[in-house]
Amino acid sequence: MSALITITESLFNRPSLYEQLAFASNGDSILLIQDAVLGLQSPIALASFLAKCDVQGIGVFALQEDCDLRGIDNQYNTISLVDYAGFVALVVGNEKQIAW
Amino acid sequence: MVGKKKLLYVFEDGPYSGSAGIEALDAVLIGASFEQEISLLFLNDGVFQLNAGQSANSQPTGLKQYTNAFKALSDFDVHQIFVHDLSLIARGLSQKELLIDTRLLDSPKVAQLIAQQDKVFTF
Amino acid sequence: MDINLIVNGAAYSRQSAYTALKFAEQACDQGHSISQVFFYRDGVSQGNFLAMTLADEFNAVEAWVAFARDHDVKLVVCVSAAERRGIINQQQQAEFGKPSANLHPAFAVEGLGAMHDASLSANRTVTFR
């Protein structure tokens, strides 16, 4: 059963959350919300995380509004920005949600 | 069994500095009464929840060692208790130093366990 | 689709309540139903109607109450989590002899069984930390 994983904390403050990628499965999706979007500003900070997601077949999304609130410019073309409608679609499209 | 759902409760923080562990345990004990397939998973600092070396506080007003209640899980028919092996080893603990019988899982097995669940409650 | 929410983050201190509410409103706009919002851990503070915010600030309790009224959603605070954090209704105030109650009457006080009931019957469960 595929999962939507939501991450709310920043890569810089909580790197262990991003190491939990090892617990995700092919076909899962990850949505970065709240402070998790802070990693999108640097073109290198999320690079190795995204490379692993690509290998594992995991799609990565980020909440546009949380980027806008924080003045974050997404540096990654492999991260799709979604609005709250997209958030709902991700919940509906995966059998379960897990809040990391 | 048909109709039973798989529920996983994930413990991620150590005991005492916050209420995550005791509030997760409260949820497990209620969840156990629903006669579903319940599992517990201890990850990261969550492995310290099960450290047998915790000293019970003799002061009635001190923080009580609520983690002794993990020993009661078997009475509630909760037997699927999993510990992430790397989390345990990295923190200088071993399976024999834990309060209760557990099964160690490597990262791919943790991923499998999570993939099988209907609901995952994280604390 | 029937979706239930679990909200664990404190009012004002965390963005959690705001994120959860925006999600819930969007889900309803798309024709999904939110059967229950269960407030657990520090999330119980979102039922405290003594909370005061400035006129141009997000007020979690007012926002939840308006949302629940508009979309017929059940708001529930966990009894044990709320009592430990001093969030009680008038019945608990009388029962325990406390000087005041602070839980908005739109919120029900129930146990963790309510969270499990909702999670087992809903198509999706979404937790906001």
Side-chain angles (χ1 to χ4, degrees):
Chain A
M1 283 188 286
S2 70
L4 170 67
I5 293 156
T6 50
I7 305 183
T8 51
E9 293 185 66
S10 128
L11 168 81
F12 307 106
N13 281 359
R14 287 287 304 278
S16 66
L17 287 179
Y18 296 77
E19 288 159 20
Q20 291 184 190
L21 185 58
F23 309 145
S25 298
N26 187 290
D28 287 353
S29 297
I30 292 179
L31 174 64
L32 307 174
I33 61 174
Q34 300 177 16
D35 279 354
V37 305
L38 296 176
L40 274 65
Q41 180 73 29
S42 154
I44 51 168
L46 280 169
S48 81
F49 174 76
L50 290 172
K52 287 182 207 155
C53 287
D54 185 46
V55 169
Q56 284 184 239
I58 292 164
V60 183
F61 303 83
L63 195 60
Q64 170 94 56
E65 187 184 294
D66 283 345
C67 293
D68 294 344
L69 280 167
R70 293 163 175 78
I72 300 297
D73 275 329
N74 178 20
Q75 302 296 311
Y76 300 91
N77 56 20
T78 52
I79 298 181
S80 313
L81 296 182
V82 296
D83 55 11
Y84 276 92
F87 188 172
V88 172
L90 283 166
V91 165
V92 171
N94 291 279
E95 280 84 7
K96 60 179 177 266
Q97 177 257 8
I98 309 173
W100 279 2
Chain B
M1 243 186 258
V2 180
K4 281 201 179 186
K5 294 213 164 139
K6 290 186 161 71
L7 310 180
L8 178 68
Y9 301 78
V10 185
F11 293 72
E12 298 171 23
D13 288 343
Y16 307 110
S17 60
S19 62
I22 193 163
E23 293 194 287
L25 181 59
D26 285 346
V28 169
L29 295 174
I30 298 298
S33 68
F34 279 74
E35 300 189 339
Q36 308 292 318
E37 281 190 47
I38 284 188
S39 306
L40 280 65
L41 172 64
F42 294 83
L43 289 180
N44 299 334
D45 285 347
V47 298
F48 285 112
Q49 296 280 344
L50 296 180
N51 185 12
Q54 299 170 51
S55 63
N57 196 316
S58 56
Q59 302 296 321
T61 54
L63 290 176
K64 73 173 179 185
Q65 193 196 334
Y66 68 89
T67 50
N68 272 325
F70 284 112
K71 293 179 192 165
L73 285 172
S74 57
D75 299 335
F76 289 84
D77 221 21
V78 176
H79 304 287
Q80 306 270 49
I81 299 166
F82 301 101
V83 175
H84 178 229
D85 58 1
L86 287 183
S87 297
L88 193 69
I89 294 158
R91 288 163 178 78
L93 291 174
S94 68
Q95 201 173 14
K96 64 178 184 336
E97 293 170 277
L98 301 182
L99 284 164
I100 50 175
D101 285 340
T102 59
R103 279 165 60 190
L104 294 192
L105 299 181
D106 61 14
S107 298
K109 287 271 167 46
V110 170
Q112 264 179 35
L113 175 74
I114 289 172
Q116 292 162 356
Q117 302 303 313
D118 291 296
K119 306 279 176 180
V120 179
F121 303 109
T122 50
F123 293 92
Chain C
M1 207 169 249
D2 176 19
I3 304 171
N4 70 307
L5 307 185
I6 300 168
V7 182
N8 293 335
Y12 193 69
S13 304
R14 309 292 311 166
Q15 195 186 342
S16 175
Y18 177 81
T19 306
L21 188 76
K22 290 274 287 191
F23 174 88
E25 286 174 340
Q26 185 55 235
C28 289
D29 286 352
Q30 288 186 27
H32 302 294
S33 64
I34 304 289
S35 54
Q36 181 195 82
V37 184
F38 189 87
F39 297 92
Y40 191 41
R41 307 204 58 206
D42 287 349
V44 298
S45 63
Q46 294 176 47
N48 183 353
F49 76 86
L50 300 185
M52 294 189 288
T53 49
L54 300 178
D56 61 348
E57 288 178 339
F58 174 67
N59 184 302
V61 64
E62 286 173 9
W64 283 116
V65 170
F67 168 73
R69 186 188 56 228
D70 293 348
H71 298 281
D72 194 25
V73 173
K74 188 171 184 192
L75 305 174
V76 182
V77 295
C78 172
V79 57
S80 54
E83 283 181 354
R84 286 190 173 95
R85 292 167 175 87
I87 310 286
I88 59 170
N89 65 15
Q90 288 186 344
Q91 190 187 330
Q92 290 164 300
Q93 179 199 353
E95 185 179 347
F96 299 110
K98 294 290 184 180
S100 63
N102 56 357
L103 182 67
H104 192 287
F107 290 72
V109 179
E110 294 182 23
L112 284 155
M115 182 190 89
H116 284 86
D117 276 330
S119 300
L120 290 170
S121 63
N123 304 107
R124 297 287 183 274
T125 300
V126 186
T127 301
F128 295 88
R129 307 185 75 163

